[in-house]
Structure formats: structure tokens, C-alpha cells
Amino acid sequence: MLASGSAMRESGVLYVSGEESVLQVRMRAERLGAVSDSLFVASETNLDTVFRLLEAGGASDVDSQRGFGAVVVDSIQTVYAEDVASPAGTVNQVKECTLRLLRLAKSRNVPVILIGHVTKSGDIAGPKVLEHIVDTVVQLEGDPQSARRFLRCQKNRFGNTSEVGVFNMTDEGLQPLTNPLLAFVSSQDDEEDEFDDEELVIEPLDGCSLTIAMEGKRPIPLEIQALANRSQFSSDAGRGGGSSFSRVRGVGVSFDKLQLLFAVLEKRAQVSFQNQSVFVNIAEGYTIQEPAADLALAVALASSVLGRPVLERTAFLGEVSLSGHLRPVKMLESRLTAAHKIGLEVCVIPKEHDVATRRAIRKKFANTLTVVEASTLLQALKVAFRSPTTTSILSRSDETSTAQEDSGL
């Protein structure tokens, strides 16, 4: 992609591969359709040899020896300097090679891109000072079981770090998503169009809720799925058999967060998870990292254990405190705008005490989105289950009267 740019066609781009041969790189480039006359590949790990290649340049004009227009080193942990008495990948080698490439970039005004390894914890391998030497740190993240990839900026001396790129891993390489708003939300519209049988009725499922997360400045709608089922050993425990226990498994959400919500739901909303095995999954392998999704998680958990579907086309935003009250979330207006773009009709948010903010939200979304304010988790559950009273929330779906189900907000 860098070599195909108009600014690099004359001088070219040098790609230094320290792990793969030139033939391997070319095979991958042919598969991805990325073969370019402006891309020069070298399989080399000696930094002095790399510098000689940079001096030679890749300009098509023989009389023009200006060097390459950009350099990519893959990876910095495989490059070594001969005058440093340590093997490649050690702290001294990585630091010294990075400093020399930095001086090259500053003195010749040439962009240098360093590709580095990461540890199991997600940190850049090597010395921590490596992140302080370079100008920009960009990290590509994603769940191995999902095709979605996030390109996050950890450090940027030329701008802010709030922008996030969302890509899809395909056979042709990384492709930008045309509509990231729908990347982590499943839709049943296409499934309903495949059947013309009038008798077929798709009923809403319990245990599913929607929220709007923020990746930098980019809103990401998320679908949270929860499943609560009676533990297998609970019946044996009642007859004097093995002891009863509950299992909790979460994909994309921390175990501590689930335990906190279990305690708040049982103490503040009388929703018990005793003798229940609970499984929580975030669609497309996304990992929740902000408290704004607490309310949607709590709604999905309560919906599954009570067997009651959540109000359709509704998003839930808010942090749940230990007292059961809802705390406001940041960048609320951006989240509400994203909810409207994907076709949602109702948004349940924490009660806003700022009069100016409340007026601004009501004015902007007066004719497009129904914004419902709730002070506590119990009030939000009433809206989610369309329940006029507290007792109707705590009852099972088969014990709820038809009048209560058809009641409005």
C-alpha cells in the first residue's frame, strides 16, 4: 500500500525482512495482489548491510542517487549491529539498532517503519525505552477466532491517539470495513426475508442486549449475549447427593465484572443467580474495556435468568455502581448518534442532572430516538422488560399477565 502511493513511485520503498526470504515475501505479495515495481525487498539482518542498501537507493533514474523514499524493517528484534557484543533481539541490540535507524530518519527525512514482536500480555517485546525512542506506536489487535482487527494508536507525536481503524482479515489481506457500526451486531432481517411462510413467527430471545462502546472517538455497537441455566448438580444436591455449585464463563468480559454485577442484581434488584450456570459472550470476539457497558450486561443477565426478552431495538448505556445507581458515561451524544444510525429506537441512559445537557439531547434526538432516563438499575430493568411495577420484573415470563406485557413505557 505504501509503495503504490504516488509519492513513492519515483524513489521506491525498501522492505527489509529478517525472518523470511525474498521468495516467501514475493509469494505472499502475489497472493495479496500487492506486487509493485516501487517495492524493493531484501532479506537481511545486518544493520550495516541495510544502510548500504539504503545508500544505493531504488530510483529508476541512474543519475539520481537519493536513496529510498521509505524503509520498513520486519522485525526490529531480528536486526543486529556488528559492533554490539550481544545477539540479535537482546536489549542492547534492539535499543542500539533503533537509535541508529532513528538518526537515519531524522537526518535524511525518510520515514522508517519498525515492526516489532509483542509478548503474550500484548506489550512490545524488548526494552520499554523502545516506545519512547520512536515517534508513533501503532498496534494491531484482534481475537484469533474472529476476523475483526483493530488498529489502535498507542502513541503519536504528530496528532491525537483517539482514532481507531477497524479492519476485516480476509484471504486478500486486511480490508477496511465499510460500516463498522454493524460489525459486532447480528441482524435477523436477512433471515426473515428468506421465509415467506405467514405462520412462521420469530419470537425475540431472552439474554440479548445492545450497548454502544467507544474505541477512541469511534462508537462501536455491541451485542451482549447471556445464557443462564440450572446447574447440573443442583437436583442431586437436593436429594442429598453432591454439593451444588454454579459455573460462570465469560468471553469478552472479565470474571470480576460478572461477579460484581451478580452481587448488585441480587442485592438491589432481587434477581438471584443461585444454582445457575451463567455464560456470557460478546459478539465477534470483542472485549469490553469500559464501564459504560455495565447496564447492558446486567440487563442481559437478568433477562436470561428470568426468561424475559428485552425490549427490541433498545440500547443500554450506563455504569452500575455498588449501590445500584447508574452513573453517567462519557461521549454520550456520539453513542446516541450511532444508536440512531443502526436503526435503534430507544436508548436507556443514566439520569442526566445537567439541565443544559438534557435539553441538548432532547432537542437533537426529539424526532429520531426515544431517550429514557433511569436513576437506578431497577428502573432500567422495568424499561427493559416493559414492567410497570417492581414485582413484575421479578416474576417469570410465564407468570406475567398479558396486560403487563402490552403495557407501554
Side-chain angles (χ1 to χ4, degrees), residues 310-323:
V310 181
L311 183 65
E312 295 182 349
R313 298 185 180 277
T314 303
F316 300 89
L317 306 172
E319 177 184 358
V320 178
S321 64
L322 296 180
S323 63

Side-chain angles (χ1 to χ4, degrees), residues 16-18 44-48 50 73-81 87-90 93-94 97 101:
V16 180
S17 176
E44 185 58 59
T45 57
N46 192 324
L47 187 62
D48 296 332
V50 173
V73 179
D74 184 12
S75 63
I76 188 61
Q77 281 85 5
T78 61
V79 179
Y80 70 95
T90 58
Q93 282 285 3
V94 172
C97 292
L101 290 170

Side-chain angles (χ1 to χ4, degrees), residues 25-35 170-173:
V25 176
R26 181 175 180 82
M27 291 174 58
R28 182 175 291 105
E30 290 177 347
R31 178 174 61 86
L32 300 178
V35 178
T170 65
D171 295 337
E172 299 178 354

Side-chain angles (χ1 to χ4, degrees), residues 10-284:
E10 182 179 351
S11 55
V13 176
L14 176 61
Y15 178 83
V16 180
S17 176
E19 300 178 350
E20 296 179 327
S21 65
V22 176
L23 180 59
Q24 289 175 310
V25 176
R26 181 175 180 82
M27 291 174 58
R28 182 175 291 105
E30 290 177 347
R31 178 174 61 86
L32 300 178
V35 178
S36 174
D37 295 335
S38 302
L39 179 61
F40 298 82
V41 181
S43 179
E44 185 58 59
T45 57
N46 192 324
L47 187 62
D48 296 332
T49 306
V50 173
F51 274 32
R52 287 194 292 269
L53 292 173
L54 294 175
E55 292 296 335
S60 58
D61 189 359
V62 180
D63 298 332
S64 178
Q65 297 294 336
R66 295 178 299 176
F68 290 95
V71 182
V72 180
V73 179
D74 184 12
S75 63
I76 188 61
Q77 281 85 5
T78 61
V79 179
Y80 70 95
E82 291 182 345
D83 55 342
V84 179
S86 58
T90 58
V91 174
N92 292 335
Q93 282 285 3
V94 172
K95 181 180 178 181
E96 182 62 27
C97 292
T98 304
L99 287 173
R100 295 184 183 184
L101 290 170
L102 173 67
R103 288 193 291 266
L104 169 73
K106 301 298 183 182
S107 61
R108 301 187 57 175
N109 196 24
V110 175
V112 178
I113 300 176
L114 305 179
I115 300 176
H117 298 162
V118 295
T119 61
K120 293 182 179 180
S121 60
D123 300 326
I124 299 177
K128 194 65 177 179
V129 72
L130 180 62
E131 300 182 29
H132 299 281
I133 296 175
V134 298
D135 295 322
T136 303
V137 178
V138 180
Q139 190 165 349
L140 188 65
E141 302 174 352
D143 189 275
Q145 307 300 326
S146 175
R148 305 289 186 256
R149 296 293 184 270
F150 288 93
L151 189 64
R152 293 187 175 94
C153 186
Q154 308 292 341
K155 173 187 176 181
N156 188 5
R157 290 177 178 170
F158 306 103
N160 59 60
T161 60
S162 59
E163 297 297 335
V164 178
V166 184
F167 298 87
N168 192 32
M169 179 66 77
T170 65
D171 295 337
E172 299 178 354
L174 288 174
Q175 302 294 332
L177 292 180
T178 56
N179 189 3
L181 293 178
L182 298 178
F184 301 92
V185 178
S186 61
S187 175
Q188 296 182 354
D189 295 340
D190 298 336
E191 300 177 2
E192 295 177 359
D193 295 340
E194 296 178 0
F195 302 96
D196 297 331
D197 191 359
E198 296 182 356
E199 298 181 357
L200 180 62
V201 178
I202 301 179
E203 298 181 356
L205 298 176
D206 58 85
C208 294
S209 64
L210 294 176
T211 188
I212 311 294
M214 295 298 298
E215 286 287 346
K217 292 184 178 179
R218 184 189 295 274
I220 303 292
L222 298 177
E223 179 180 354
I224 300 175
Q225 304 166 348
L227 176 63
N229 192 24
R230 185 178 298 275
S231 298
Q232 299 178 359
F233 287 65
S234 60
S235 58
D236 296 336
R239 294 192 296 267
S243 60
S244 176
F245 66 96
S246 300
R247 292 184 299 170
V248 179
R249 297 291 185 272
V251 178
V253 58
S254 66
F255 178 79
D256 294 337
K257 175 63 69 174
L258 293 178
Q259 291 294 327
L260 184 147
L261 293 178
F262 290 156
V264 175
L265 283 169
E266 185 169 359
K267 183 70 174 181
R268 308 302 179 188
Q270 290 75 48
V271 179
S272 177
F273 292 86
Q274 186 177 6
N275 297 331
Q276 295 286 330
S277 294
V278 182
F279 306 91
V280 180
N281 177 61
I282 310 301
E284 292 291 340

Side-chain angles (χ1 to χ4, degrees), residues 325-347:
H325 289 79
L326 302 182
R327 295 174 178 171
V329 298
K330 63 179 182 179
M331 304 179 72
L332 179 60
E333 190 171 334
S334 299
R335 300 174 195 261
L336 295 178
T337 303
H340 169 63
K341 288 183 178 179
I342 64 174
L344 299 184
E345 300 175 355
V346 181
C347 275

